[in-house]
Each structure stands twice: as structure tokens, then as C-alpha cells.
Amino acid sequence: MKERKNVKEKEKGSSSSSVEKRYKQWKTVIPLLYDWIINHILAWPSPSCRWGAQLEQGTYKNSQRLFISEQTDGTVPNTLVIANCEIVKPRIAAAEHICQFNEKGRSPFVKKSKTIVHPGEVNKIRELPQYNRIVATHTNSPKVYIWDVNAQPNRSATPRVSPSLPDLVLTGHEDNAEFALGMCPTEPFVLSGGGGPIANQSSSSREKVEESRSIGPRGIYKGHEGTVEDVQFCPSSEQEFCSVGDDSCLILWDARVGSTPAMKVEKAHVGDVYCVDWSPHDVNFILTGAADNTIHMFDRRKLNIGGVGSPIHEFEGHSAAVLCVQWNPNKSSVFGSSGEDSILNIWDLEKVGNASSSAGLKEQSSPPGLFFQHVGHRDKVVDFHWNAFDPWTIVSVSDDCGRTGGGGTLQIWRPIDFLCRPEEEVLAELEDYKAH
């Protein structure tokens, strides 16, 4: 037992040294890879981050709402934080500004505007597409909370302060339901999963919630044999959704045909499946990420009723578990993935099979489809979110509190546009400016 512990400690130390070496090298090439980037040290770790509504458009920068959470050590309450973020427009930031990367401070571009004292940890945040002032939070209890962030009062997270009062409480789970949370793009429906069945709930006010502030599920769906880790609605239907769990399964559901699985892939991965995303551009394509360090892309037209299915693509670019996958909201072939290896990868299906290398840092040939690696974090990247108003701008959060002197790190960044545009267009522009 002692020998095994020593081996694990050596492996952890070696991995930490490798991450630091990679991080130091990455800092030297920031001006070459990014159009804009900021680093913001958090007081407490944030398990989730989410862009909100755009607040104001300016000449050189826009203002946008940003949701993050604060997972405390218990001395003060956990909180849901609403921040106002200034986003510099593409090709505006000067090279000198990009070089001024402050890894130990708080960025003036991120300003906390409101704090909601949350009843329990905020493990996931999702906004309601139909009403951008409404967000749902998943906590370490069987309940899901709905908040009107405009109406909620600003609170101070002091010791022994009482939690803020949610606008709605969604019930239906018997066991703790910590992470699986999805919002329907077409109707005000909320989907949640956890240690028990999946609950399909409504966040509308049609059920006389003024009296109890509580809503039970519209439907309960049973099919997983373990914890449900993530859920996602079909982008074009409030009746169809999918789920993944630590039973290695990917399940597709259709509320019109009942509460049992419409289609089930028994072994979507080798190991726990942590995340899933349904393409907003083509409803046949679904991404999954798992503990086996891989991302799988499934075509639902090629899944058989018997549960026999195989991914049409397998992406291998992480050296540890994949925690989050998400399609780019504006370009159908692009998606991102983040994991416990402290890396956030950007993939492009159009580059699968191409011999071109990825941008970023690499010690060997790039995996097919990988064209950008963000290695600015120094511990697991627990969540990220594409910005729908600024298609290549990403917010990401990591648990690197031991290296920053804070509670974690939030970064907002945008790759230099030369990497994202068609090659012939970039070459033509470079030709025009080669004298400079």
C-alpha cells in the first residue's frame, strides 16, 4: 500500500511539472495565437460558467452578462454570481495589451454586479433561451432552482446569512441530482438528472406556483442503471432529449412514446460518460465525452433499436477524462472539449483526415480534426461556454486554486482570426500587408 501511494505521488508530481512547463511555454506565444485574452482569479472555485444577455454595444467593446458560481469551504455560503463583462471587439486589442497577461490578479473587464446566496453548491448553471433573465441552477440536493436574476436582490455572502429565496423550486428527484441540467430551446422546459430517474419539468407559471413556489415533474424517465451525468434537449423539439451516465450509456428519449428509452447505446464509451451535446446545426449529430479520455460523435440515424451503435468519429486529444463538450453556435463543423488534463481543445470536422497541424503547443503530430489547443489553465477545466454574440470568444473556468493563490481561474479568450478564416482569404490579406 505504501509503495502504491508513493507511485501515485510521483505520477502526480510529474504531471504537475509537465503542466507548468507547458504553461510557461504557452505564455511566450500568447500574442501569436490570440486576438484577445484576459485572466481573472476567482475567490472560490466555480464549477460552472455561462454567458448571458448582451447588455450594451460600444465602438470598441461590448458589455455582456456572465454567470459564475462560488463553491466555498463552508465558512461562508455558496453563491450564484452575476457579473458584467466587457468584451473587446475583434482586432481591437493592441499587441501590448495581449502581452500583459496577469496570472495572479483580477481583471478589470469582469465586474461582479449581483450576488445570490444559494442554498447549497451551484454545480451547473443554465439560462432559459426564451427569457434571458431566467436561469436554472443544479445543486447537491434533489432540487433544481429557478431564478429571475433581475428581480433577485443583491446579497452579501456573510457567515450564517440565510439563503436567497428562489423564484421557483423544481422537484421530482429522490436522490441528489448534481450536474445533469438542460434547457429546451423551443419551450420553457427544464430537464434534470442525477442519482435517480430523469425529470422533465416546466419553468412556466401555468401551475399556480405563486402559492408554493414549487413544481413537480411533467414526466419521469427511467433507463439508466447509474447516475445520470448530463442531459440535453434536441434543438428542434421539446419532446426529444438525450442523456448519458456513469453506466457508459447514451440514451435517446421521446416523450411522445412514453417514459422508457426510445434508443439506447449500451457502451457509448469504455467508462463513465460525463457530458453530451446535441448539434444545433444538424439534429442527427450528438457528441459525448467520457472518462476514457475520448470524444465520440454519433449519428442517430445509424443507431439500431437493439442498442448496437458505434461512433462515426472518435476524437483522441485529451490525456485525462473529458468533462465538457459543446458545439460552436455559429459554425456547424466546430466544437470544443475540456478535461481533467487542464486543456481546452477546439476541433473542426472539416479538418478530419487533413495533414495540417493544429495551432497551439504540441510535442507530436496532432490528432485528426484538432486545430487549436488552449493550455492557459493549470488544472482541470471544469466548464466552458461559447459566446453566441461573439462566435469565437470563449469563457472557461478551472480548479487551479493551488497555483494561483485564489479559488480558481476564469479566462475569456478569442483565437487570432487568421486561424479561423479560410486559408485563401488569410493569405490574400497577408499579401496586402507584407510590407509591414
Side-chain angles (χ1 to χ4, degrees):
M1 179 68 75
K2 184 177 180 181
E3 291 178 358
R4 180 180 295 180
K5 183 178 180 181
N6 290 338
V7 169
K8 287 185 177 180
E9 289 177 349
K10 288 180 180 178
E11 289 176 350
K12 185 176 180 180
S14 175
S15 174
S16 177
S17 175
S18 176
V19 169
E20 285 297 325
K21 180 180 178 181
R22 184 181 64 198
Y23 176 78
K24 289 178 180 179
Q25 183 184 0
W26 169 79
K27 285 198 298 182
T28 66
V29 295
I30 287 175
L32 301 176
L33 297 178
Y34 296 87
D35 179 65
W36 182 59
I37 182 170
I38 66 166
N39 192 78
H40 185 77
I41 298 302
L42 301 169
W44 300 101
S46 178
S48 188
C49 59
R50 203 75 180 171
W51 290 113
Q54 193 171 68
L55 303 174
E56 185 179 352
Q57 295 189 37
T59 304
Y60 302 109
K61 54 189 177 182
N62 298 327
S63 177
Q64 190 168 346
R65 181 172 282 164
L66 179 66
F67 301 106
I68 58 175
S69 58
E70 292 181 322
Q71 188 178 53
T72 71
D73 61 1
T75 57
V76 293
N78 296 282
T79 64
L80 169 65
V81 174
I82 298 93
N84 291 341
C85 180
E86 292 182 331
I87 304 170
V88 175
K89 290 186 174 182
R91 295 198 169 196
I92 296 296
E96 306 83 58
H97 169 76
I98 298 173
C99 291
Q100 293 171 357
F101 185 80
N102 184 0
E103 63 183 21
K104 294 184 178 180
R106 298 186 181 182
S107 171
F109 290 91
V110 179
K111 298 178 181 178
K112 185 184 294 188
S113 65
K114 183 177 287 188
T115 297
I116 295 173
V117 180
H118 199 273
E121 298 175 356
V122 187
N123 293 322
K124 188 164 283 189
I125 306 165
R126 290 292 181 265
E127 74 288 354
L128 193 65
Q130 297 83 10
Y131 309 100
N132 56 34
R133 60 189 286 174
I134 306 297
V135 299
T137 55
H138 220 336
T139 186
N140 53 342
S141 81
K143 297 176 182 178
V144 173
Y145 298 107
I146 303 295
W147 309 89
D148 182 338
V149 295
N150 288 1
Q152 283 287 331
N154 187 23
R155 303 282 303 281
S156 296
T158 56
R160 295 184 295 279
V161 67
S162 61
S164 299
L165 184 64
D167 293 274
L168 291 177
V169 179
L170 306 185
T171 63
H173 290 287
E174 298 176 359
D175 300 318
N176 288 353
E178 298 183 33
F179 296 103
L181 183 65
M183 306 293 259
C184 179
T186 58
E187 294 288 340
F189 296 157
V190 181
L191 194 64
S192 60
I198 297 169
N200 188 347
Q201 299 156 315
S202 170
S203 62
S204 67
S205 58
R206 293 177 294 195
E207 334 235 353
K208 297 183 179 179
V209 297
E210 293 84 356
E211 299 177 6
S212 64
R213 293 180 179 265
S214 179
I215 296 180
R218 298 173 65 249
I220 295 178
Y221 303 85
K222 299 181 180 181
H224 283 282
E225 296 178 1
T227 299
V228 180
E229 297 286 353
D230 200 8
V231 291
Q232 191 72 244
F233 272 103
C234 174
S236 61
S237 172
E238 68 273 14
Q239 304 292 344
E240 299 176 80
F241 49 93
C242 64
S243 60
V244 294
D246 60 11
D247 55 1
S248 304
C249 293
L250 163 66
I251 299 181
L252 275 62
W253 310 81
D254 190 334
R256 294 167 295 191
V257 298
S259 58
T260 56
M263 200 169 295
K264 187 173 184 178
V265 181
E266 296 285 354
K267 288 292 180 182
H269 287 263
V270 180
D272 300 0
V273 188
Y274 292 137
C275 50
V276 63
D277 197 24
W278 205 318
S279 172
H281 310 286
D282 188 330
V283 294
N284 291 307
F285 298 143
I286 296 172
L287 292 172
T288 57
D292 61 6
N293 308 350
T294 68
I295 301 138
H296 288 176
M297 180 178 174
F298 291 92
D299 186 335
R300 67 172 177 171
R301 295 166 296 186
K302 299 181 180 180
L303 300 177
N304 297 323
I305 297 299
V308 179
S310 59
I312 57 174
H313 291 296
E314 182 173 324
F315 301 90
E316 298 180 334
H318 288 279
S319 60
V322 179
L323 302 177
C324 184
V325 291
Q326 190 179 121
W327 292 95
N328 183 295
N330 292 83
K331 188 171 181 181
S332 62
S333 64
V334 173
F335 67 90
S337 64
S338 67
E340 292 184 352
D341 55 3
S342 76
I343 293 176
L344 199 162
N345 287 328
I346 299 180
W347 309 80
D348 191 342
L349 296 173
E350 294 178 352
K351 299 183 183 298
V352 173
N354 292 351
S356 58
S357 62
S358 64
L361 304 175
K362 56 182 175 56
E363 297 177 356
Q364 54 187 5
S365 60
S366 301
L370 178 63
F371 84 100
F372 192 90
Q373 282 195 320
H374 177 68
V375 295
H377 293 284
R378 288 179 284 174
D379 211 323
K380 58 182 178 180
V381 183
V382 292
D383 199 11
F384 72 93
H385 192 204
W386 296 92
N387 192 328
F389 297 99
D390 194 347
W392 286 96
T393 298
I394 292 176
V395 58
S396 51
V397 286
S398 60
D399 284 348
D400 46 6
C401 51
R403 294 184 172 95
T404 63
T409 299
L410 179 145
Q411 292 180 350
I412 301 173
W413 50 278
R414 179 171 55 233
I416 193 168
D417 65 354
F418 282 164
L419 303 176
C420 311
R421 290 159 51 198
E423 183 177 344
E424 61 275 8
E425 183 180 312
V426 171
L427 291 175
E429 182 172 342
L430 290 175
E431 181 68 22
D432 292 339
Y433 287 94
K434 67 179 182 181
H436 298 274

